[in-house]
Amino acid sequence: MGDNKKSVVKWGILGTGWIAQQFADDLAYVENAECLAVGSRSLESASQFADAHGAARAYGSYEELAADADVDVIYVATPHPFHKDNTLTSLLAGKAVLCEKPFTVNSAELEEMIKLAREKKLFLMEAMWTRFLPSIVKVREWIRKGRIGEVQLVKAEFGFKMDWNPEHRLLNPDLGGGALLDTGIYPVSFASMIFGAAPKGISSTSRMGTTGVDEQFSILLDYGSGKSALLSGAISLGMTNDAYIYGTEGYIRIPSFLNAKTAALHVGEEEAEVFTDNRQSAGYNYEAEAVGQYLREGQLESPVISLDESLGIMKLLDEVRAQWGFKYPFE
């Protein structure tokens, strides 16, 4: 795109599931953004999505969407086992890509995607929307300003108890099921945001279910000098889904951190300083707005979540699964 700060960014949505619907609706809250087109594996599904979410064009294949010359950037919203192929299709067509998390199933897939994006000088980013929420932006500001001193410990969890359905994507190893990639990406990425994606030590445990995927896990990351992260996730346990950041002078609590609307700063005996985001949207508009700005500025990566960081996170998840001896059938 050019450097016109007011130029409209025209989005193509690849996939028609729940998260694609949320993202498309939130584009209405982004200045100078347009939900132009949607692609699905069937024209009927794409047309229904386009009618419901205001997209002008509907395509019955992902290749047709990628070939639309008017689309500036494609949001890949399919399940993670399909992210690599969908992203490569988009990149090969010359499109910038925002790809849902987890970026891929493993680091080898992500390396292939990054290599192509860099060779073709195209923008690519993992859609870790949490990083762009105002409450999380405020948390990073508090830490940067030393409000809680030196950070020593991060605790984060994301878990829910799903209804038992062995055919569901989350319980199907052939579809990359399990808690680690689906829920674990949130706490692991959160710890990476604070400490970086390369801990000195990784310890983990899991409970494998009858369908052959991890239904529950815990991870301890050692960053040296006593700094650590305690992370948990599940698809079979209801959790608070809160995050805590403990420093030498205080701590920060973020309720429901993955879609955070508030964050509370606690320092000594002082009354807690609470930041509240009164957004009307679901919150996906913030990452979409950031991507639009990156494209207008000609940036190829996000400084908020770089490709190297995303790759480090995927390598960490690979190591955790290796500790469990867990591989997907298609790997």
Side-chain angles (χ1 to χ4, degrees), residues 168-182:
H168 192 282
R169 174 184 68 82
L170 288 176
L171 293 171
N172 189 339
D174 291 320
L175 294 178
L180 182 67
L181 293 190
D182 200 83

Side-chain angles (χ1 to χ4, degrees), residues 247-286:
T248 54
E249 304 297 330
Y251 71 94
I252 299 168
R253 175 176 178 255
I254 310 152
S256 189
F257 79 97
L258 60 150
N259 61 355
K261 287 190 174 181
T262 66
L265 172 68
H266 299 263
V267 180
E269 300 301 319
E270 300 174 14
E271 183 177 348
E273 180 179 332
V274 179
F275 177 88
T276 301
D277 169 21
N278 294 313
R279 65 178 184 263
Q280 300 301 308
S281 66
Y284 298 95
N285 52 301
Y286 299 111

Side-chain angles (χ1 to χ4, degrees), residues 185-206:
I185 186 63
Y186 279 104
V188 170
S189 184
F190 187 81
S192 177
M193 180 183 77
I194 305 300
F195 286 132
K200 296 180 181 298
I202 304 171
S203 303
S204 66
T205 185
S206 68

Side-chain angles (χ1 to χ4, degrees), residues 98 100-101 103 125-141 143-144 154 184-198 221 223 231 245 254 256-260 275 277 279 282-288 290-291 294 302-314 316:
L98 173 67
E100 254 312 316
K101 70 217 154 313
F103 226 153
M125 185 183 103
E126 182 179 17
M128 181 46 71
W129 69 305
T130 300
R131 296 277 179 104
F132 299 89
L133 297 174
S135 294
I136 302 301
V137 173
K138 175 59 69 172
V139 166
R140 291 202 298 272
E141 178 188 314
I143 293 172
R144 188 171 63 251
V154 168
I185 186 63
Y186 279 104
V188 170
S189 184
F190 187 81
S192 177
M193 180 183 77
I194 305 300
F195 286 132
L221 302 179
Y223 291 91
L231 315 172
I245 306 168
I254 310 152
S256 189
F257 79 97
L258 60 150
N259 61 355
F275 177 88
D277 169 21
R279 65 178 184 263
Y284 298 95
N285 52 301
Y286 299 111
E287 67 175 354
V291 169
Y294 298 147
S302 168
V304 176
I305 180 162
S306 70
L307 294 177
D308 286 341
E309 184 187 1
S310 288
L311 181 59
I313 291 169
M314 287 310 308
L316 193 159

Side-chain angles (χ1 to χ4, degrees), residues 62-75:
Y62 301 144
E63 290 77 13
E64 288 177 281
L65 173 67
D68 187 325
D70 294 326
V71 169
D72 296 313
V73 55
I74 290 179
Y75 170 59

